[in-house]
Structure formats: C-alpha cells, structure tokens
C-alpha cells in the first residue's frame, strides 16, 4: 500500500483530478467533501476512491473525520488542502455572512485540517502539506475581497508552516491555479468570463484540472523534498509573479 493521501474537496473539480492522479501514482487516497452526496457517490463508483463527508470549516468535524480516515487507512502522510468556495460580490454589496463563509472554509479550513495531522507528521518525520491557493490571492480580484484575502492568507500560512516543518521532514507548499475549467469558474457569468477574464489569459484558454493535479503529484513525491515554502503559479501567464 502506498502512502495515505487525504484530499479536501476531493470529489469534484480540481480536487477530483488530484485524488485520481494521486491514486494513479500509487497513493492510498481518501477524498473529503462537504455537501454534494450525489457527486461523491458517483465519484467513488467511478474511481474506487472512498469519500468522507465533513466541513473543513468545522475544527471538531475535521478532528473526527481525520480520525475516521486514519482508522480505515493509516496515518495521513500527504494532506492536500483543496476545498474552497466562492461568494463573489462587489465589496459594497458583500455581506458579513459572505465574508465569514469564505474565511471559514478557505482560510480557517487550512488550520482545521492541518493541525490534527501535524503532530503525527512531526513524530514520523515525514509529511507533505499542499495548499491550493489561487491567482486571485496573488493579484487580487474585483468582486472577491473575501476570496482574495483568504487565498493570500493561505500563502502566509504556507510560508510560516514550511519553516516549522522543515526540521521534521515535512514540506509545505502552495499552488496558485489561474482560471481552471471547473464548475466554480463556469459559474461565473458567461459574458464576464468570455469578455473580461479569458482575454487576460495569454495562452488563450482555461486551465485543465489535470494541469494542477500533476503539480500536486510532484510536490507529494520524494523528488520534491527540497521544495518547501514555495508558491507554484499555474495560470497560463495571466499573472507573472
Ligand atoms: N474591476 C473594476 N470594476 C469592475 C470589475 C473589475 N474587474 N468588474 C466589474 N466591475 C464594475 C463594473 O464595471 C460595474 O460598474 P458600474 O456599476 O459602474 O457599471 C460594477 O463593477 C458591477 O459589476 P457587475 O455588473 O459585474 O456586478 P454584479 O453585481 O452583477 O456582479 C460579480 C459582480 C459577481 C463580482 C461579477 O462581476 C463577477 O462574477 N466577476 C468575476 C469575479 C471573479 O473573477 N471570480 C472568480 C471566480 S473563480 C475562482 O475564484 C477560482 C479561482 O481561484 C481563479
């Protein structure tokens, strides 16, 4: 059996591609999801990857969910913090609820998921934490003050934790996808997507979920042991850091 990898939001979108790619690379994969039972059941049926339901926004639920995954498969050695939501609105229309929901999932979710696995990774002297941030955490995006703030926070979390984990054989890295052809991006108004967003992408297309999954597979591997605290951008040239 390969190393155990846990992917949050792992049954849909970029997360589903990550789960499948890690399984193909030999990992024992568990996919967490928060809400869509039907999609999770279909994902398990088509991939054989088990799914576990809890919200990454709830610390106690993360502790219990991770315990369930570890009881079934063994200690989590690779954690992919991929789960994320959008509640887009121009700031003057953004509600405190839209701000909080995005912060709770997209930023606090990283604390809630990483904290329960961290001591085990330190004790075993091996770990891989891979955080899926966003181009919009790097450059900011109108209509996403909440999302951009949370995703920028994910990068600070990555950099701080990388320094703590280094002595214990744990690497912590972030990936900043650009606009990838998932439900989240396709939910953007078609006119906004076609007229305002795609023209800003030099390669002239949305990214593919697999193009992010391949980076995760590399960062999880032993070959990537010297890479920690890094941010890898995959955005078709839309924002060059
Ligand atoms: N910069 C400055 N002003 C902008 C702007 C921009 N980029 N985009 C829109 N505006 C302005 C508009 O011109 C308009 O101005 P007026 O009122 O003077 O005409 C005003 O803001 C309102 O714009 P909308 O008509 O679009 O307002 P809305 O309330 O209907 O929609 C919105 C607002 C939902 C935020 C919509 O603009 C939108 O969906 N924008 C795209 C946001 C986006 O990129 N989200 C990414 C989602 S995918 C993702 O998050 C994954 C990832 O990591 C990349």
């Amino acid at each position: 059996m390969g190393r155990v990898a846990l992917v949050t939001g792992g049954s849909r979108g970029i997360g589903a591609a990550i789960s499948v790619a890690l399984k193909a690379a030999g990992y024992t994969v568990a996919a967490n999801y928060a809400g869509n039972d039907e999609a999770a059941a279909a994902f398990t049926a088509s991939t054989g990857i088990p799914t576990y339901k809890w919200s990454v926004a709830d610390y106690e639920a993360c502790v219990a969910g991770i315990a369930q995954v570890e009881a079934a498969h063994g200690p989590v050695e690779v954690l992919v913090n991929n789960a994320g939501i959008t509640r887009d609105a121009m700031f003057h229309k953004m509600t405190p609820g839209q701000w909080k929901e995005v912060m709770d999932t997209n930023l606090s979710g990283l604390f809630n998921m990483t904290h329960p696995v961290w001591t085990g990774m330190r004790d075993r002297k091996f770990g891989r934490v891979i955080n899926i941030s966003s181009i919009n955490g790097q450059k900011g995006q109108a209509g996403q003050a909440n999302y951009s703030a949370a995703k920028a926070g994910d990068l600070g979390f990555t950099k701080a934790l990388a320094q703590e984990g280094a002595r214990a054989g744990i690497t912590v890295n972030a990936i900043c996808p650009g606009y990838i052809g998932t439900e989240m991006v396709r939910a953007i108004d078609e006119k906004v997507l076609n007229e305002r967003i795609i023209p800003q992408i030099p390669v002239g297309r949305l990214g593919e979920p697999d193009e992010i999954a391949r980076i995760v597979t590399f960062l999880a591997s032993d070959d990537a042991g010297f890479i920690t605290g890094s941010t890898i951008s995959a955005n078709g040239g839309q924002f060059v850091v």
Side-chain angles (χ1 to χ4, degrees), residues 18-53:
I18 293 170
S19 297
V20 168
L22 287 173
K23 184 179 179 196
Y27 294 84
T28 298
V29 179
N32 148 272
Y33 74 102
N36 192 330
D37 294 321
E38 208 177 314
F43 176 76
T44 299
S46 68
T47 63
I49 296 170
T51 50
Y52 296 85
K53 184 177 184 177

mmCIF file of all heavy atoms in Angstrom, residues 18-53:
data_model
loop_
_atom_site.group_PDB
_atom_site.id
_atom_site.type_symbol
_atom_site.label_atom_id
_atom_site.label_comp_id
_atom_site.label_asym_id
_atom_site.label_seq_id
_atom_site.Cartn_x
_atom_site.Cartn_y
_atom_site.Cartn_z
ATOM 1 N N ILE A 18 -7.042 15.746 -8.574
ATOM 2 C CA ILE A 18 -5.912 15.483 -7.672
ATOM 3 C C ILE A 18 -6.051 14.085 -7.063
ATOM 4 O O ILE A 18 -5.087 13.307 -7.025
ATOM 5 C CB ILE A 18 -5.844 16.554 -6.558
ATOM 6 C CG1 ILE A 18 -5.492 17.920 -7.151
ATOM 7 C CG2 ILE A 18 -4.847 16.149 -5.466
ATOM 8 C CD1 ILE A 18 -5.644 19.097 -6.173
ATOM 9 N N SER A 19 -7.241 13.752 -6.589
ATOM 10 C CA SER A 19 -7.458 12.421 -5.988
ATOM 11 C C SER A 19 -7.104 11.322 -6.982
ATOM 12 O O SER A 19 -6.406 10.356 -6.636
ATOM 13 C CB SER A 19 -8.929 12.268 -5.559
ATOM 14 O OG SER A 19 -9.278 13.198 -4.562
ATOM 15 N N VAL A 20 -7.598 11.467 -8.201
ATOM 16 C CA VAL A 20 -7.370 10.437 -9.231
ATOM 17 C C VAL A 20 -5.881 10.344 -9.580
ATOM 18 O O VAL A 20 -5.323 9.243 -9.708
ATOM 19 C CB VAL A 20 -8.226 10.757 -10.489
ATOM 20 C CG1 VAL A 20 -7.819 9.906 -11.674
ATOM 21 C CG2 VAL A 20 -9.714 10.569 -10.163
ATOM 22 N N ALA A 21 -5.221 11.489 -9.691
ATOM 23 C CA ALA A 21 -3.796 11.476 -10.053
ATOM 24 C C ALA A 21 -2.954 10.844 -8.943
ATOM 25 O O ALA A 21 -2.021 10.083 -9.216
ATOM 26 C CB ALA A 21 -3.312 12.902 -10.330
ATOM 27 N N LEU A 22 -3.294 11.136 -7.693
ATOM 28 C CA LEU A 22 -2.525 10.549 -6.586
ATOM 29 C C LEU A 22 -2.752 9.043 -6.527
ATOM 30 O O LEU A 22 -1.827 8.270 -6.279
ATOM 31 C CB LEU A 22 -2.903 11.216 -5.255
ATOM 32 C CG LEU A 22 -2.369 12.645 -5.066
ATOM 33 C CD1 LEU A 22 -2.943 13.272 -3.798
ATOM 34 C CD2 LEU A 22 -0.831 12.669 -5.003
ATOM 35 N N LYS A 23 -3.987 8.627 -6.771
ATOM 36 C CA LYS A 23 -4.249 7.183 -6.788
ATOM 37 C C LYS A 23 -3.428 6.512 -7.903
ATOM 38 O O LYS A 23 -2.803 5.468 -7.682
ATOM 39 C CB LYS A 23 -5.743 6.906 -6.978
ATOM 40 C CG LYS A 23 -6.049 5.424 -6.899
ATOM 41 C CD LYS A 23 -7.508 5.086 -7.065
ATOM 42 C CE LYS A 23 -7.650 3.564 -6.993
ATOM 43 N NZ LYS A 23 -8.921 3.078 -7.492
ATOM 44 N N ALA A 24 -3.423 7.143 -9.073
ATOM 45 C CA ALA A 24 -2.665 6.573 -10.208
ATOM 46 C C ALA A 24 -1.172 6.515 -9.883
ATOM 47 O O ALA A 24 -0.454 5.651 -10.388
ATOM 48 C CB ALA A 24 -2.901 7.408 -11.464
ATOM 49 N N ALA A 25 -0.709 7.429 -9.019
ATOM 50 C CA ALA A 25 0.714 7.439 -8.643
ATOM 51 C C ALA A 25 1.012 6.472 -7.504
ATOM 52 O O ALA A 25 2.141 6.409 -7.019
ATOM 53 C CB ALA A 25 1.131 8.857 -8.261
ATOM 54 N N GLY A 26 -0.001 5.741 -7.041
ATOM 55 C CA GLY A 26 0.241 4.684 -6.058
ATOM 56 C C GLY A 26 -0.157 5.009 -4.631
ATOM 57 O O GLY A 26 0.047 4.198 -3.727
ATOM 58 N N TYR A 27 -0.712 6.199 -4.400
ATOM 59 C CA TYR A 27 -1.138 6.559 -3.045
ATOM 60 C C TYR A 27 -2.464 5.888 -2.702
ATOM 61 O O TYR A 27 -3.257 5.563 -3.580
ATOM 62 C CB TYR A 27 -1.320 8.088 -2.922
ATOM 63 C CG TYR A 27 -0.022 8.847 -3.054
ATOM 64 C CD1 TYR A 27 0.485 9.172 -4.314
ATOM 65 C CD2 TYR A 27 0.720 9.213 -1.936
ATOM 66 C CE1 TYR A 27 1.691 9.842 -4.451
ATOM 67 C CE2 TYR A 27 1.923 9.889 -2.060
ATOM 68 C CZ TYR A 27 2.405 10.195 -3.323
ATOM 69 O OH TYR A 27 3.603 10.855 -3.463
ATOM 70 N N THR A 28 -2.659 5.681 -1.405
ATOM 71 C CA THR A 28 -3.978 5.306 -0.893
ATOM 72 C C THR A 28 -4.707 6.611 -0.625
ATOM 73 O O THR A 28 -4.290 7.388 0.241
ATOM 74 C CB THR A 28 -3.837 4.505 0.421
ATOM 75 O OG1 THR A 28 -3.106 3.311 0.134
ATOM 76 C CG2 THR A 28 -5.195 4.165 0.999
ATOM 77 N N VAL A 29 -5.749 6.878 -1.385
ATOM 78 C CA VAL A 29 -6.374 8.204 -1.356
ATOM 79 C C VAL A 29 -7.720 8.170 -0.647
ATOM 80 O O VAL A 29 -8.540 7.268 -0.877
ATOM 81 C CB VAL A 29 -6.563 8.749 -2.799
ATOM 82 C CG1 VAL A 29 -7.229 10.129 -2.783
ATOM 83 C CG2 VAL A 29 -5.224 8.822 -3.527
ATOM 84 N N ALA A 30 -7.941 9.158 0.210
ATOM 85 C CA ALA A 30 -9.265 9.406 0.788
ATOM 86 C C ALA A 30 -9.674 10.808 0.366
ATOM 87 O O ALA A 30 -8.870 11.741 0.443
ATOM 88 C CB ALA A 30 -9.216 9.308 2.312
ATOM 89 N N ALA A 31 -10.893 10.947 -0.101
ATOM 90 C CA ALA A 31 -11.373 12.252 -0.568
ATOM 91 C C ALA A 31 -12.441 12.763 0.388
ATOM 92 O O ALA A 31 -13.435 12.083 0.639
ATOM 93 C CB ALA A 31 -11.934 12.135 -1.981
ATOM 94 N N ASN A 32 -12.196 13.945 0.931
ATOM 95 C CA ASN A 32 -13.211 14.591 1.784
ATOM 96 C C ASN A 32 -14.135 15.432 0.891
ATOM 97 O O ASN A 32 -13.726 15.933 -0.161
ATOM 98 C CB ASN A 32 -12.487 15.476 2.807
ATOM 99 C CG ASN A 32 -13.285 16.708 3.178
ATOM 100 O OD1 ASN A 32 -13.197 17.751 2.521
ATOM 101 N ND2 ASN A 32 -14.100 16.585 4.201
ATOM 102 N N TYR A 33 -15.378 15.555 1.304
ATOM 103 C CA TYR A 33 -16.289 16.501 0.635
ATOM 104 C C TYR A 33 -17.249 17.049 1.677
ATOM 105 O O TYR A 33 -17.421 16.464 2.745
ATOM 106 C CB TYR A 33 -17.046 15.818 -0.515
ATOM 107 C CG TYR A 33 -18.139 14.863 -0.065
ATOM 108 C CD1 TYR A 33 -19.479 15.247 -0.113
ATOM 109 C CD2 TYR A 33 -17.835 13.599 0.421
ATOM 110 C CE1 TYR A 33 -20.484 14.387 0.305
ATOM 111 C CE2 TYR A 33 -18.829 12.738 0.854
ATOM 112 C CZ TYR A 33 -20.150 13.141 0.796
ATOM 113 O OH TYR A 33 -21.131 12.297 1.227
ATOM 114 N N ALA A 34 -17.894 18.176 1.341
ATOM 115 C CA ALA A 34 -18.724 18.831 2.357
ATOM 116 C C ALA A 34 -20.210 18.647 2.149
ATOM 117 O O ALA A 34 -20.962 18.549 3.120
ATOM 118 C CB ALA A 34 -18.419 20.323 2.396
ATOM 119 N N GLY A 35 -20.658 18.601 0.878
ATOM 120 C CA GLY A 35 -22.106 18.710 0.727
ATOM 121 C C GLY A 35 -22.762 17.823 -0.310
ATOM 122 O O GLY A 35 -23.856 17.306 -0.081
ATOM 123 N N ASN A 36 -22.104 17.652 -1.455
ATOM 124 C CA ASN A 36 -22.792 17.048 -2.593
ATOM 125 C C ASN A 36 -22.674 15.511 -2.549
ATOM 126 O O ASN A 36 -21.771 14.912 -3.124
ATOM 127 C CB ASN A 36 -22.197 17.623 -3.885
ATOM 128 C CG ASN A 36 -23.023 17.277 -5.103
ATOM 129 O OD1 ASN A 36 -23.679 16.235 -5.144
ATOM 130 N ND2 ASN A 36 -22.987 18.145 -6.093
ATOM 131 N N ASP A 37 -23.645 14.873 -1.855
ATOM 132 C CA ASP A 37 -23.615 13.410 -1.673
ATOM 133 C C ASP A 37 -23.657 12.671 -3.008
ATOM 134 O O ASP A 37 -22.981 11.661 -3.198
ATOM 135 C CB ASP A 37 -24.825 12.957 -0.836
ATOM 136 C CG ASP A 37 -24.754 13.488 0.588
ATOM 137 O OD1 ASP A 37 -23.652 13.525 1.157
ATOM 138 O OD2 ASP A 37 -25.820 13.868 1.119
ATOM 139 N N GLU A 38 -24.469 13.214 -3.912
ATOM 140 C CA GLU A 38 -24.658 12.534 -5.202
ATOM 141 C C GLU A 38 -23.341 12.504 -5.989
ATOM 142 O O GLU A 38 -22.932 11.463 -6.510
ATOM 143 C CB GLU A 38 -25.712 13.310 -5.989
ATOM 144 C CG GLU A 38 -26.501 12.476 -6.961
ATOM 145 C CD GLU A 38 -27.573 13.341 -7.630
ATOM 146 O OE1 GLU A 38 -28.273 14.091 -6.904
ATOM 147 O OE2 GLU A 38 -27.659 13.279 -8.852
ATOM 148 N N ALA A 39 -22.666 13.662 -6.037
ATOM 149 C CA ALA A 39 -21.394 13.729 -6.760
ATOM 150 C C ALA A 39 -20.360 12.829 -6.096
ATOM 151 O O ALA A 39 -19.576 12.162 -6.772
ATOM 152 C CB ALA A 39 -20.890 15.174 -6.798
ATOM 153 N N ALA A 40 -20.366 12.784 -4.766
ATOM 154 C CA ALA A 40 -19.388 11.962 -4.048
ATOM 155 C C ALA A 40 -19.623 10.479 -4.336
ATOM 156 O O ALA A 40 -18.676 9.725 -4.579
ATOM 157 C CB ALA A 40 -19.468 12.239 -2.559
ATOM 158 N N ALA A 41 -20.894 10.062 -4.336
ATOM 159 C CA ALA A 41 -21.208 8.653 -4.598
ATOM 160 C C ALA A 41 -20.801 8.287 -6.031
ATOM 161 O O ALA A 41 -20.213 7.223 -6.272
ATOM 162 C CB ALA A 41 -22.693 8.399 -4.375
ATOM 163 N N ALA A 42 -21.074 9.181 -6.972
ATOM 164 C CA ALA A 42 -20.706 8.919 -8.373
ATOM 165 C C ALA A 42 -19.188 8.864 -8.514
ATOM 166 O O ALA A 42 -18.651 8.020 -9.249
ATOM 167 C CB ALA A 42 -21.281 10.012 -9.274
ATOM 168 N N PHE A 43 -18.492 9.723 -7.777
ATOM 169 C CA PHE A 43 -17.030 9.756 -7.838
ATOM 170 C C PHE A 43 -16.449 8.448 -7.306
ATOM 171 O O PHE A 43 -15.567 7.840 -7.941
ATOM 172 C CB PHE A 43 -16.519 10.945 -7.009
ATOM 173 C CG PHE A 43 -15.023 11.025 -6.917
ATOM 174 C CD1 PHE A 43 -14.276 11.482 -7.987
ATOM 175 C CD2 PHE A 43 -14.360 10.624 -5.763
ATOM 176 C CE1 PHE A 43 -12.888 11.540 -7.908
ATOM 177 C CE2 PHE A 43 -12.985 10.680 -5.679
ATOM 178 C CZ PHE A 43 -12.242 11.137 -6.750
ATOM 179 N N THR A 44 -16.978 7.980 -6.170
ATOM 180 C CA THR A 44 -16.486 6.714 -5.606
ATOM 181 C C THR A 44 -16.786 5.557 -6.554
ATOM 182 O O THR A 44 -15.933 4.688 -6.780
ATOM 183 C CB THR A 44 -17.128 6.454 -4.226
ATOM 184 O OG1 THR A 44 -16.761 7.525 -3.357
ATOM 185 C CG2 THR A 44 -16.649 5.142 -3.617
ATOM 186 N N ALA A 45 -17.982 5.577 -7.133
ATOM 187 C CA ALA A 45 -18.357 4.482 -8.042
ATOM 188 C C ALA A 45 -17.428 4.443 -9.255
ATOM 189 O O ALA A 45 -17.041 3.372 -9.718
ATOM 190 C CB ALA A 45 -19.813 4.658 -8.485
ATOM 191 N N SER A 46 -17.038 5.602 -9.767
ATOM 192 C CA SER A 46 -16.237 5.590 -10.988
ATOM 193 C C SER A 46 -14.737 5.465 -10.728
ATOM 194 O O SER A 46 -13.999 5.037 -11.610
ATOM 195 C CB SER A 46 -16.530 6.826 -11.849
ATOM 196 O OG SER A 46 -16.061 7.966 -11.190
ATOM 197 N N THR A 47 -14.278 5.815 -9.530
ATOM 198 C CA THR A 47 -12.816 5.810 -9.288
ATOM 199 C C THR A 47 -12.378 4.783 -8.247
ATOM 200 O O THR A 47 -11.189 4.487 -8.145
ATOM 201 C CB THR A 47 -12.349 7.185 -8.755
ATOM 202 O OG1 THR A 47 -12.993 7.413 -7.482
ATOM 203 C CG2 THR A 47 -12.698 8.303 -9.713
ATOM 204 N N GLY A 48 -13.327 4.316 -7.418
ATOM 205 C CA GLY A 48 -12.952 3.424 -6.324
ATOM 206 C C GLY A 48 -12.327 4.158 -5.146
ATOM 207 O O GLY A 48 -11.862 3.532 -4.186
ATOM 208 N N ILE A 49 -12.322 5.478 -5.185
ATOM 209 C CA ILE A 49 -11.729 6.269 -4.089
ATOM 210 C C ILE A 49 -12.819 6.559 -3.051
ATOM 211 O O ILE A 49 -13.865 7.122 -3.387
ATOM 212 C CB ILE A 49 -11.132 7.584 -4.629
ATOM 213 C CG1 ILE A 49 -9.965 7.285 -5.577
ATOM 214 C CG2 ILE A 49 -10.684 8.499 -3.479
ATOM 215 C CD1 ILE A 49 -9.449 8.482 -6.359
ATOM 216 N N PRO A 50 -12.591 6.172 -1.786
ATOM 217 C CA PRO A 50 -13.618 6.417 -0.777
ATOM 218 C C PRO A 50 -13.753 7.904 -0.454
ATOM 219 O O PRO A 50 -12.766 8.643 -0.478
ATOM 220 C CB PRO A 50 -13.104 5.643 0.447
ATOM 221 C CG PRO A 50 -11.632 5.522 0.241
ATOM 222 C CD PRO A 50 -11.392 5.511 -1.246
ATOM 223 N N THR A 51 -14.980 8.313 -0.159
ATOM 224 C CA THR A 51 -15.235 9.708 0.181
ATOM 225 C C THR A 51 -15.744 9.807 1.617
ATOM 226 O O THR A 51 -16.426 8.899 2.110
ATOM 227 C CB THR A 51 -16.268 10.327 -0.779
ATOM 228 O OG1 THR A 51 -17.393 9.461 -0.867
ATOM 229 C CG2 THR A 51 -15.695 10.547 -2.161
ATOM 230 N N TYR A 52 -15.407 10.899 2.264
ATOM 231 C CA TYR A 52 -15.759 11.135 3.676
ATOM 232 C C TYR A 52 -16.345 12.536 3.785
ATOM 233 O O TYR A 52 -15.734 13.497 3.303
ATOM 234 C CB TYR A 52 -14.511 11.021 4.553
ATOM 235 C CG TYR A 52 -13.911 9.634 4.555
ATOM 236 C CD1 TYR A 52 -13.024 9.241 3.562
ATOM 237 C CD2 TYR A 52 -14.253 8.713 5.545
ATOM 238 C CE1 TYR A 52 -12.479 7.960 3.552
ATOM 239 C CE2 TYR A 52 -13.714 7.432 5.545
ATOM 240 C CZ TYR A 52 -12.833 7.065 4.546
ATOM 241 O OH TYR A 52 -12.295 5.798 4.534
ATOM 242 N N LYS A 53 -17.504 12.617 4.433
ATOM 243 C CA LYS A 53 -18.220 13.904 4.459
ATOM 244 C C LYS A 53 -18.012 14.664 5.770
ATOM 245 O O LYS A 53 -18.360 14.160 6.835
ATOM 246 C CB LYS A 53 -19.714 13.636 4.274
ATOM 247 C CG LYS A 53 -20.562 14.901 4.187
ATOM 248 C CD LYS A 53 -22.018 14.549 3.942
ATOM 249 C CE LYS A 53 -22.867 15.784 3.761
ATOM 250 N NZ LYS A 53 -24.256 15.456 3.451
#
